[in-house]
DNA sequence: AATATGCACAACCGCCGGGTT
DNA sequence: GAACCCGGCGGTTGTGCATAT
């Protein structure tokens, strides 16, 4: 038995908000505030919406001082740098960018910034990576592909990532997401990772690259491959902090507002204390982070475009 | 002009953690 | 301490517009 739904789905409107709904929501909040209970909010405000939907609409769109439109170069740099250090903690990244919402930043990252970054590290004529696989075709892989293509793609991948091989955490492959039914996970042409050979290690894990690519633990058992997003993301984040140290943190390369840096340092300290040392693991975004770091360490900013 | 494809963004979904009972 | 509720979060999907064919 699952969790009870937060609202009566049958009597709740979904989809885009109308201007009338927007003004209703806005007026009510300006008059009475949110009331501290979003679940009860729609009824009070006379909206046929889920409370969560109201909250999201307010926070991401209607709230005062929301900044819409183009991200500045400095914002780009901030996002990239924070992403390299803390991963996809959009709410934390958003906290460093006044007026921007986590959703905004997440969308911006997924649709533009990541591509911009990856594109800069691809030879122009080969922006579209060939999809390939290897002889290690898992049973559910419908199309056999040549290993030569894999080799080409593999070197192509190495050429910009500097990584020999990569293993995916299993949470990229959640139980509800079958490769057979949702191949889109690996279809992004932004990364040749999509065509790394992969094979099941156990029922929940697929390995990419060679077996030797498993770098997870001392005994080679890959035990850090995790299910929870927190372990994965925070693990990467704080491994990064542990290994780089705040002094080497690429943030220092930004003209950072000192208060913001201080906030982040405090947060990082708390988090470090909480998580301690966490084994490094790779995921699809790892190489993006590598790119950011390596680019930042050079004389030319990767965001000079 | 019609259709296909790509892209950007808004919104939804489901999980998790913290607080309360 | 267990059960429940709610807010918050990140990942994913849906939709509409723009551009290419």
């Amino acid at each position: 038995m699952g969790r009870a739904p937060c609202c009566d789905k049958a009597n709740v409107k979904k989809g885009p908000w109308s201007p009338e709904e927007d003004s209703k929501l806005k007026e009510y909040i300006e008059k009475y505030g949110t009331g501290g209970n979003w679940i009860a909010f729609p009824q009070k405000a006379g909206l046929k919406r889920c409370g969560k939907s109201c909250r999201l609409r307010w926070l991401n769109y209607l709230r005062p001082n929301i900044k819409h439109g183009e991200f500045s170069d400095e914002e780009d740099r901030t996002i990239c740098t924070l992403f390299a250090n803390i991963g996809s903690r959009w709410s934390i990244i958003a906290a460093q960018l006044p007026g921007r919402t986590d959703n905004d930043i997440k969308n911006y990252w997924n649709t533009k910034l990541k591509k911009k970054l990856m594109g800069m590290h691809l030879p122009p004529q080969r922006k579209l990576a060939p999809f390939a696989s290897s002889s290690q075709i898992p049973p559910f892989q419908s199309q056999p592909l040549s290993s030569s293509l894999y080799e080409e793609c593999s070197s192509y991948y190495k050429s910009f990532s500097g990584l020999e091989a990569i293993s995916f955490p299993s949470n990229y492959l959640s139980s509800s997401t079958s490769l057979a039914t949702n191949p889109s996970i690996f279809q992004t042409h932004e990364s040749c990772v999509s065509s790394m050979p992969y094979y099941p290690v156990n029922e929940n894990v697929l390995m990419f690259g060679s077996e030797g690519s498993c770098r997870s633990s001392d005994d080679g058992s890959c035990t850090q491959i995790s299910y929870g997003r927190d372990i994965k993301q925070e693990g990467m984040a704080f491994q990064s902090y542990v290994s780089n140290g705040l002094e080497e943190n690429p943030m220092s390369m930004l003209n950072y507002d000192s208060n913001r840096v201080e906030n982040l340092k405090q947060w990082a300290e708390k988090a470090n204390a909480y998580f301690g040392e966490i084994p490094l693991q790779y995921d699809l975004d790892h190489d993006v982070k590598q790119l950011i770091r390596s680019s930042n360490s050079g004389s030319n900013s990767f965001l000079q475009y």
Side-chain angles (χ1 to χ4, degrees):
Chain A
M1 205 174 93
R3 165 184 294 279
C6 65
C7 52
D8 180 7
K9 304 260 180 200
N11 295 315
V12 152
K13 190 182 169 215
K14 286 161 81 170
W17 281 66
S18 68
E20 291 76 29
E21 288 176 307
D22 277 350
S23 57
K24 231 178 190 176
L25 179 92
K26 211 173 170 187
E27 276 173 29
Y28 188 89
I29 290 181
E30 280 166 357
K31 258 188 186 167
Y32 308 106
T34 63
N37 185 343
W38 283 107
I39 301 299
F41 181 87
Q43 204 177 3
K44 289 191 275 182
L47 287 160
K48 282 191 162 63
R49 289 277 182 175
C50 172
K52 281 187 168 190
S53 181
C54 294
R55 175 184 162 270
L56 220 61
R57 183 67 180 169
W58 172 252
L59 291 177
N60 288 337
Y61 203 81
L62 299 173
R63 178 164 58 106
N65 305 323
I66 292 284
K67 209 192 281 181
H68 293 291
E70 286 290 293
F71 281 69
S72 68
D73 285 358
E74 193 196 338
E75 286 174 315
D76 281 5
R77 276 190 287 273
T78 305
I79 294 166
C80 288
T81 307
L82 288 174
F83 184 89
N85 282 276
I86 65 175
S88 54
R89 307 297 305 271
W90 305 118
S91 59
I92 292 165
I93 294 173
Q96 304 302 314
L97 296 172
R100 300 292 187 184
T101 68
D102 52 354
N103 209 37
D104 247 6
I105 295 169
K106 181 172 58 184
N107 282 332
Y108 182 59
W109 172 263
N110 285 330
T111 58
K112 290 183 186 168
L113 213 44
K114 190 157 71 173
K115 289 173 186 173
K116 207 187 260 186
L117 248 181
M118 298 304 280
M120 290 181 54
H121 289 262
L122 304 183
Q125 73 276 20
R126 301 180 64 182
K127 276 204 168 183
L128 292 176
F131 287 116
S133 183
S134 74
S135 53
Q136 294 171 303
I137 308 292
F140 42 76
Q141 179 85 359
S142 56
Q143 293 181 325
L145 295 159
S146 78
S147 58
S148 62
L149 272 175
Y150 157 65
E151 283 164 15
E152 183 193 3
C153 196
S154 182
S155 60
Y156 163 83
Y157 170 74
K158 284 183 223 169
S159 73
F160 66 83
S161 73
L163 296 174
E164 284 298 314
I166 192 165
S167 65
F168 272 66
S170 60
N171 48 358
Y172 266 93
L173 305 165
S174 69
S175 56
S176 62
T177 309
S178 142
L179 274 177
T181 57
N182 190 5
S184 62
I185 293 171
F186 299 107
Q187 283 182 348
T188 169
H189 56 67
E190 293 153 31
S191 170
C192 210
V193 169
S194 57
S195 54
M196 296 293 280
Y198 55 93
Y199 54 93
V201 171
N202 63 34
E203 60 180 352
N204 293 311
V205 178
L206 291 177
M207 291 300 297
F208 287 72
S210 68
E211 278 183 274
S213 68
C214 176
R215 306 174 183 184
S216 47
S217 61
D218 289 345
D219 62 6
S221 59
C222 300
T223 51
Q224 94 287 15
I225 291 177
S226 65
Y227 292 83
R229 67 173 189 232
D230 289 339
I231 293 172
K232 173 191 141 218
Q233 293 168 339
E234 269 130 12
M236 291 188 300
F238 302 119
Q239 175 68 26
S240 165
Y241 267 106
V242 166
S243 60
N244 290 349
L246 280 172
E247 292 312 306
E248 287 179 40
N249 187 318
M251 261 175 53
S252 60
M253 295 176 202
L254 300 175
N255 292 326
Y256 240 84
D257 174 277
S258 59
N259 286 335
R260 285 196 248 159
V261 172
E262 194 49 45
N263 288 342
L264 213 73
K265 278 185 181 175
Q266 284 171 6
W267 169 78
E269 279 163 12
K270 275 189 204 165
N272 260 338
Y274 182 72
F275 288 97
E277 197 165 330
I278 295 171
L280 178 64
Q281 59 181 260
Y282 292 106
D283 73 346
L284 190 58
D285 287 326
H286 176 81
D287 35 324
V288 177
K289 295 176 187 178
Q290 293 275 355
L291 287 178
I292 295 167
R293 291 203 188 93
S294 61
S295 302
N296 268 344
S297 63
S299 55
N300 295 324
S301 165
F302 65 93
L303 285 166
Q304 286 174 351
Y305 35 75

